[in-house]
Amino acid sequence: AQTVTQSQPEMSVQEAETVTLSCTYDTSENNYYLFWYKQPPSRQMILVIRQEAYKQQNATENRFSVNFQKAAKSFSLKISDSQLGDTAMYFCASETNSGGGADGLTFGKGTHLIIQP
Amino acid sequence: GAVVSQHPSRVICKSGTSVKIECRSLDFQATTMFWYRQFPKQSLMLMATSNEGSKATYEQGVEKDKFLINHASLTLSTLTVTSAHPEDSSFYICSASSRGSGTDTQYFGPGTRLTVL
């Protein structure tokens, strides 16, 4: 079984600041993927960034980057130059690949990020 | 690309009736679709995995006779909540994944808010 833990229920930063959201996970699988999803008030789940466990290089998407520490089972999200539109719930998620296709995602409880003007 | 639609976006029904929710992948063929449930201020919980042409796989604690899933084609999966009760009121979200896209990334629909009176 997989577990994903997000220990920060809510965070608040000023616009243009950098913020890091924490996530730890536990899995017995060797082949898995990690994701950060954003859920704004509309409740539409939006993929922010993904990381394949076999890749050592940290994934980067524009202002979003991750710090993937496989041995520590840590997967934090860094948002640089934060913008008002970044205000949302952020969910960390893991997915195993059973070989027969995609498996369902296991989500953390989420972090409510508030960007203050 | 990778757009997933859900219909209806919200539905209100009387206790004891059945409700059908549709999930469609609009611009790709989804070999696997997933159904999640999200209670207010909580995370997403996987309910079931649906593969085209085969029976759905349900997570522990999810009643398969109550939540009927049909994945009739590579672009459509339906979730039917049978004999709905007030405790079934929730936000239901589907996602779709395509192995052919080269990734296991799941793309989410906008969700369906179900209220059972």
Side-chain angles (χ1 to χ4, degrees):
Chain A
Q2 300 178 79
T3 59
V4 177
T5 302
Q6 293 178 252
S7 58
Q8 304 152 313
E10 184 171 290
M11 295 187 70
S12 180
V13 298
Q14 294 294 121
E15 192 176 7
E17 289 184 346
T18 294
V19 59
T20 299
L21 308 183
S22 302
C23 173
T24 58
Y25 63 93
D26 194 15
T27 179
S28 57
E29 302 290 333
N30 291 319
N31 188 17
Y32 57 92
Y33 302 87
L34 298 168
F35 303 86
W36 279 97
Y37 280 91
K38 167 184 177 181
Q39 188 180 43
S42 68
R43 302 191 78 172
Q44 170 73 60
M45 296 291 284
I46 300 167
L47 176 66
V48 175
I49 200 164
R50 60 170 271 154
Q51 174 85 41
E52 291 90 344
Y54 63 87
K55 289 187 177 179
Q56 292 186 337
Q57 187 173 8
N58 289 326
T60 300
E61 287 289 340
N62 301 313
R63 298 184 294 109
F64 301 88
S65 61
V66 298
N67 183 2
F68 174 45
Q69 301 291 326
K70 192 172 183 178
K73 294 184 177 176
S74 171
F75 183 62
S76 61
L77 174 70
K78 185 172 83 171
I79 305 174
S80 304
D81 186 27
S82 58
Q83 300 174 0
L84 297 178
D86 294 334
T87 294
M89 283 293 292
Y90 285 81
F91 292 99
C92 179
S94 68
E95 176 194 329
T96 59
N97 186 323
S98 60
D103 293 336
L105 293 169
T106 299
F107 286 91
K109 291 187 175 182
T111 296
H112 185 204
L113 176 63
I114 300 169
I115 308 300
Q116 304 277 7
Chain B
V3 178
V4 177
S5 70
Q6 265 185 257
H7 178 80
S9 58
R10 56 180 61 197
V11 56
I12 301 173
C13 69
K14 293 183 178 180
S15 185
T17 60
S18 294
V19 174
K20 180 184 285 188
I21 303 170
E22 291 187 349
C23 177
R24 292 181 185 273
S25 57
L26 299 184
D27 52 1
F28 68 102
Q29 292 186 323
T31 49
T32 307
M33 287 184 169
F34 303 88
W35 288 94
Y36 296 85
R37 182 164 55 184
Q38 185 178 30
F39 290 109
K41 298 189 183 300
Q42 293 190 23
S43 188
L44 282 75
M45 296 295 293
L46 178 67
M47 299 176 65
T49 301
S50 169
N51 290 295
E52 187 266 339
S54 62
K55 289 185 178 180
T57 303
Y58 291 82
E59 295 300 300
Q60 193 171 10
V62 178
E63 300 175 57
K64 57 184 175 183
D65 294 331
K66 181 167 187 63
F67 298 100
L68 301 179
I69 292 172
N70 184 285
H71 193 157
S73 75
L74 285 172
T75 60
L76 173 64
S77 176
T78 60
L79 168 68
T80 301
V81 184
T82 62
S83 186
H85 291 285
E87 57 265 31
D88 298 324
S89 297
S90 187
F91 193 65
Y92 292 87
I93 310 175
C94 73
S95 71
S97 174
S98 172
R99 293 282 287 170
S101 69
T103 73
D104 279 344
T105 298
Q106 294 182 28
Y107 299 95
F108 285 83
T112 297
R113 183 183 300 279
L114 171 63
T115 303
V116 184
L117 303 176

